[in-house]
Amino acid sequence: MQVIIVTGRRDALLDFAQGLGEEVEWTASQAEVLGRAAKGPWKLVVADAMTPGVDYKAFLTELLRVNAMLNTVVVTDMDEETFHEDSEGLGVLGAVPALPVREDGEKVLARLKRILGLG
């Protein structure tokens, strides 16, 4: 399962990434992801809203325009209700805490596999 994590905080997300599996790619560039998203190999894009200067909603809105079939997860410090309201209409699979752990990654991967009919 190929995943790309868009973050400027790689060290903070290493444990989480281990829970997502072995095919994790990293970038700090939203533009790079948008440029490759139309034919990118990913099944999941993780957007780190905790990276300073990141507007995750603008990024995900543009990502939807490029490839609406990509699944997305957001790393955020918002509570569940606030995040749900804030991200409505963006087709986000879910959110994980600002400092996610391996188990958060495993849960995201399991949910993604269920959605894709792989498990």
Side-chain angles (χ1 to χ4, degrees), residues 3-5 17 28 32-33 40-42 45 47 51 55 59 64 76-77 89 91 94 98 101 105 110 116-117:
V3 176
I4 188 160
I5 300 175
E32 177 187 348
V33 173
W42 315 301
V45 176
T51 296
D55 180 347
F59 171 61
L64 274 171
T76 181
D77 61 356
V101 295
L116 296 175

Side-chain angles (χ1 to χ4, degrees), residues 12-92:
L13 303 182
L14 284 173
D15 195 35
F16 169 70
Q18 289 177 344
L20 292 173
E22 295 180 14
E23 296 186 58
V24 175
E25 185 178 342
W26 297 86
T27 186
S29 172
Q30 294 175 8
E32 177 187 348
V33 173
L34 293 171
R36 295 174 53 203
K39 55 187 173 193
W42 315 301
K43 296 294 183 199
L44 178 67
V45 176
V46 177
D48 182 7
M50 301 307 299
T51 296
V54 167
D55 180 347
Y56 87 91
K57 291 195 306 186
F59 171 61
L60 294 183
T61 298
E62 190 61 31
L63 191 61
L64 274 171
R65 288 187 187 117
V66 175
N67 185 344
M69 299 307 293
L70 282 172
N71 294 287
T72 56
V73 167
V74 176
V75 178
T76 181
D77 61 356
M78 287 184 238
D79 64 63
E80 189 175 331
E81 184 178 328
T82 303
F83 177 74
H84 178 74
E85 289 177 21
D86 194 55
S87 65
E88 194 167 353
L90 295 176
V92 178

